[in-house]
Amino acid sequence: MPDAFSFLPRLPSTGVAAYREPLTPTVKRALLAAVIFFHVGGGWALTQVEPVKLIVGDIAPMEVRMVAAEPPAAPEIENAEPPPPVEIKPPDLAAIVDPPPPDLPPPEFPIAKLDIPPPPDLPPPEIKVEKPPEPPKPQPKPKPPAPRPVQKRPPVPVGPVETQQQAATPAPSAPATPRTVSASQLGYLSAPNPVYPSRSRKAGEQGTVIVRVLVDVTGRPAQVSLHKSSGHPALDESAVSAVRAAHFRPYAEAGLKQAVWVLVPINFVLR
């Protein structure tokens, strides 16, 4: 086993010993065992020491007793005489309320007089008289355009007899006064859609309105008038407005469209 103190330098040997001999391993083990023994013995001795007991004296129990309170002693009242009445004198209002002060005269303020000179005489205003505007000069009249040359129509070619007869036959002319037909004979492209007035609905108004309308060759209402009233102006106005916005089928006779009068009934019934 290597020496534990082998790392220390050694002096050269002389006649006198310069240092002690190192301890042997057996001695080192004995010293280590002695140190451990003393440490263990000291710890064991400390554990054997008994702590000093703290002696606490006994505490006597506390007793609480309920004692009835003594009634307070009645105060001793000597023969007291009632106090004399106090006389209350009414206040002197004349001494409290001061009379109003006399009216003071209005203050007088001195008015300084200023000498203002009169304004100087102004010259009379000049009135300018405007001359009337001169009448416009007459402009020369434009010359009429030159007449256009008349173009001669080409002669009508002579065709077969049937063509001449068809050309000679006049087309049927429309009647001068439009006739009156029923609404069912025409039909509608866009039927009238009357609006029931709210005030008439609340008032319970109902009835039938007959509107007279002149339908032109395109099926549009040209003239609209009231033919028979329902007795309620609001219903009459609604019916006339609905017929005016309608679109009828054009009426035709022998392939020729004609304008006709139509009587359109509009019923207002509460449900």
Side-chain angles (χ1 to χ4, degrees), residues 158-176:
V158 178
V161 180
E162 294 179 358
T163 306
Q164 293 180 1
Q165 289 179 357
Q166 291 178 1
T169 304
S173 58

Side-chain angles (χ1 to χ4, degrees), residues 151-222:
Q151 296 180 0
K152 295 182 180 180
R153 295 182 180 180
V156 179
V158 178
V161 180
E162 294 179 358
T163 306
Q164 293 180 1
Q165 289 179 357
Q166 291 178 1
T169 304
S173 58
T177 304
R179 57 181 298 186
T180 301
V181 298
S182 62
S184 59
Q185 291 178 343
L186 292 182
Y188 298 101
L189 296 176
S190 177
N193 186 15
V195 178
Y196 214 119
S198 59
R199 58 181 180 179
S200 299
R201 187 185 298 274
K202 293 179 181 179
E205 299 175 356
Q206 56 184 356
T208 302
V209 184
I210 299 178
V211 182
R212 189 169 183 261
V213 55
L214 177 62
V215 181
D216 58 9
V217 294
T218 61
R220 294 290 183 180

Side-chain angles (χ1 to χ4, degrees), residues 1 24-34:
M1 183 175 180
T24 60
T26 305
V27 175
K28 293 179 180 180
R29 292 192 188 95
L31 291 176
L32 180 61

Side-chain angles (χ1 to χ4, degrees), residues 30-159:
L31 291 176
L32 180 61
V35 171
I36 295 173
F37 174 76
F38 283 113
H39 280 81
V40 173
W44 177 80
L46 292 175
T47 57
Q48 296 299 321
V49 176
E50 295 183 0
V52 179
K53 296 182 179 181
L54 181 62
I55 300 173
V56 180
D58 296 336
I59 300 174
M62 182 182 294
E63 295 181 1
V64 179
R65 296 180 180 179
M66 303 299 294
V67 179
E70 297 180 358
E76 296 180 359
I77 301 175
E78 298 179 356
N79 296 329
E81 297 180 357
V86 180
E87 296 181 0
I88 300 174
K89 297 181 179 180
D92 189 3
L93 298 179
I96 297 175
V97 179
D98 296 335
D103 296 336
L104 299 176
E108 296 181 0
F109 299 98
I111 300 174
K113 295 183 179 181
L114 300 177
D115 295 335
I116 301 175
D121 296 336
L122 298 177
E126 296 180 2
I127 300 174
K128 296 181 180 180
V129 179
E130 296 182 358
K131 296 181 180 180
E134 296 180 359
K137 296 180 180 181
Q139 298 180 359
K141 296 182 180 180
K143 296 180 180 181
R148 295 181 181 181
V150 179
Q151 296 180 0
K152 295 182 180 180
R153 295 182 180 180
V156 179
V158 178

